Amino acid sequence: HEVSRHKMSLASYLQDGNPYSYKDAKHVIGFASEHVFNKESLEHKDNLRMIMDIFSEKLRRPVVIQLRIIEEYTGPEIDAMV
């Protein structure tokens, strides 16, 4: 897991998130309401920038990541173009 090579705490927080949607190079990672602390920790400017940089490097294209609290997670919404 590439994020853990840079900052282990971020990787730990990300493990509680799930892919929620992907569209136009925007990845939304959903967190259950009991993981608000993890989501908020990841949203700090430097942390979110690091995660987006790592994802962009691995996917070889610019990526935007948004973090959300999702009350009822039913699975990822993936753009048909992916």
Side-chain angles (χ1 to χ4, degrees), residues 10-18 29-32 34-35 38-39 42:
L10 296 185
S12 295
Y13 297 147
L14 272 174
Q15 287 180 346
D16 289 321
N18 290 296
I29 299 172
F31 290 83
E34 61 264 20
H35 298 296
N38 295 6
K39 175 193 163 282
L42 292 168

Side-chain angles (χ1 to χ4, degrees), residues 18-22 28 30 70 72-78:
N18 290 296
Y20 183 70
S21 67
Y22 175 81
V28 178
I70 308 296
E72 295 181 25
Y73 180 73
T74 58
E77 301 171 5
I78 299 178

Side-chain angles (χ1 to χ4, degrees), residues 38-75:
N38 295 6
K39 175 193 163 282
E40 290 176 351
S41 296
L42 292 168
E43 285 179 322
H44 287 270
K45 184 179 177 180
D46 293 338
N47 292 342
L48 192 55
R49 171 57 43 208
M50 181 183 294
I51 295 166
M52 286 193 291
D53 288 347
I54 292 168
F55 274 57
S56 295
E57 180 183 321
K58 288 296 176 185
L59 295 172
R60 296 185 181 149
R61 64 186 283 187
V63 170
V64 174
I65 293 180
Q66 183 179 29
L67 308 170
R68 281 193 199 159
I69 295 296
I70 308 296
E71 295 301 325
E72 295 181 25
Y73 180 73
T74 58

